[in-house]
Amino acid sequence: MWDDLRHISRHVDWMADADAIRFQGEQTEGVGTAFVTATKVGPIRLNDVMVVTEWEAARVMGIRHTGIVTGTGRFTLEPVGEGTRLTWEENLHFPPWMGGALGGVVGRPVLARIWRHNLENLRRRFVAG
């Protein structure tokens, strides 16, 4: 599962809301990796500017969103029995034109549904090998 997470350019293969990923420099993994994801949620299209802030191989990837939408995100992998538990956390802040804090409250269930779908896509990739 870590291979699907660590290769950031492959996130478009399982994230329905990610159209394209463009790195901002030569670095493509590890702390300091900067990239822009062309994101779409319904009619909203934006470039999500991000930088990797935390990287523990096969365990943790932390992200800081620094573009129009700001905040943090984190993938955590932990062994559970004979499998692996993936936790995906996001703490996002929307600009006033997207409703600010109210936009976050309204958007939370929509984003949660999209992210659950993304996690199911990732699970299928992992199970398929």
Side-chain angles (χ1 to χ4, degrees), residues 49-51 63-67 69-73 90-93:
V49 182
M50 293 176 265
V51 64
I63 301 289
R64 185 174 63 242
H65 298 264
T66 63
V69 174
T70 60
T72 58
E90 292 280 352
N91 182 6
L92 302 177
H93 307 281

Side-chain angles (χ1 to χ4, degrees), residues 14-72:
W14 54 273
M15 288 185 168
D17 51 326
D19 275 344
I21 293 174
R22 183 179 74 253
F23 290 99
Q24 297 184 306
E26 297 298 316
Q27 185 174 344
T28 61
E29 63 179 52
V31 172
T33 301
F35 59 100
V36 178
T37 302
T39 302
K40 63 174 174 49
V41 176
I44 298 172
R45 308 264 190 268
L46 57 88
N47 288 320
D48 194 1
V49 182
M50 293 176 265
V51 64
V52 176
T53 57
E54 186 179 11
W55 186 278
E56 294 178 41
R59 293 201 51 234
V60 177
M61 180 191 304
I63 301 289
R64 185 174 63 242
H65 298 264
T66 63
I68 294 168
V69 174
T70 60
T72 58

